[in-house]
Structures are given as C-alpha cells and as structure tokens.
Amino acid sequence: MVFDSGEKLTYDVLVIASGSKPNKFGWPGQNLEGVQGLYSRQDLDQMEKNTHQGVKRAVIVGGGLIGIEMAEMLAYKKIPVTFLVREKGFWDNVLPKEESELVGRHIREHHIDLRLETELKEILSDSGEGFGL
C-alpha cells in the first residue's frame, strides 16, 4: 500500500472499513420524528437528543454490531430496549449455533427484550419518541 505522502506500508491482510448506511426498507412510518439510523457523528448527537429523560422504550431494528452497542448504551441509561433481529439467532450466520445461543442468552440476561425471527411491518407513532435502527 502506498499513501499520498509516498510512504509504503506492507500488510498480510487489508480490511477496508469505509462505513455503511442503515438500511431503509420502505416501512410505513420510517420517516417519523424519533426514528433514525446510526451512521455518522451527527446521528449519534441526534440519538442523544432522542434518548432524553422520560423515554419509555427504545426499539432497535437489526442485529449488527451497531445495534448491540446501542442496546447496551440504552440499557445503561435505564431505557427498556426491544431488539428485533430477523435471523433465528443473534449473529447465527457468523457464529456457531452454541455461541449464537450463548450471546442471545447474555443479551436477555441484561434485560434486553431480544426478539428473534422478527420482521418489522410498520412503525406507528404514539408520542413521536423512540427510535429504530
């Protein structure tokens, strides 16, 4: 690899982690106030605003690493979390079955409402607060 400066760097494995965007699937309600993804620093700032004191529940849609980090952050803030994951097990496409089940148990033991094999159909607004990933 050669940098703009001309410096060379050798490597055995190159991982290009250029970021991603949250998926939007055309769900009714996905553009409501308080529904957001997490991609940038500005999104994190918006999440801080969305999770002010008085939030009764947060819902995270998607079982990736960002989702689990957000579940942990929200649980730490004493905000009840429902975590929707499409697959049969948390990260079951990456982890062996036993490890996926272990992670799922760990998530539930930390009082996160993990719902596996769950598809989101629609986002309804009651107060405009809460968010989804």
Side-chain angles (χ1 to χ4, degrees):
M1 168 184 328
V2 180
F3 296 99
D4 287 341
S5 66
E7 177 187 357
K8 294 182 181 179
L9 177 69
T10 61
Y11 57 87
D12 295 314
V13 177
L14 174 64
V15 177
I16 299 175
S18 57
S20 66
K21 288 177 154 180
N23 290 323
K24 291 223 172 179
F25 294 97
W27 297 307
Q30 73 182 18
N31 294 318
L32 289 169
E33 182 180 337
V35 177
Q36 71 164 96
L38 186 62
Y39 176 66
S40 66
R41 170 63 194 232
Q42 292 83 2
D43 293 336
L44 184 60
D45 292 341
Q46 185 63 44
M47 182 160 313
E48 282 296 316
K49 290 177 187 170
N50 285 340
T51 58
H52 58 79
Q53 191 172 18
V55 170
K56 293 180 183 147
R57 172 159 302 276
V59 177
I60 297 172
V61 180
L65 291 176
I66 291 174
I68 195 67
E69 289 290 330
M70 291 302 97
E72 180 180 60
M73 178 196 81
L74 293 163
Y76 177 80
K77 292 175 101 174
K78 306 287 189 230
I79 297 171
V81 177
T82 299
F83 195 7
L84 309 180
V85 177
R86 293 168 142 184
E87 291 78 26
K88 292 185 345 183
F90 187 82
W91 264 40
D92 69 347
N93 59 339
V94 176
L95 299 172
K97 183 179 182 209
E98 297 78 20
E99 291 179 21
S100 174
E101 290 171 352
L102 175 73
V103 172
R105 280 193 307 274
H106 183 79
I107 291 168
R108 287 184 173 111
E109 287 169 0
H110 285 83
H111 309 288
I112 293 171
D113 178 18
L114 177 62
R115 298 187 189 192
L116 302 172
E117 295 184 279
T118 303
E119 292 279 346
L120 183 64
K121 179 180 177 185
E122 181 178 5
I123 302 167
L124 303 173
S125 175
D126 56 2
S127 66
E129 295 180 2
F131 67 93
L133 291 177

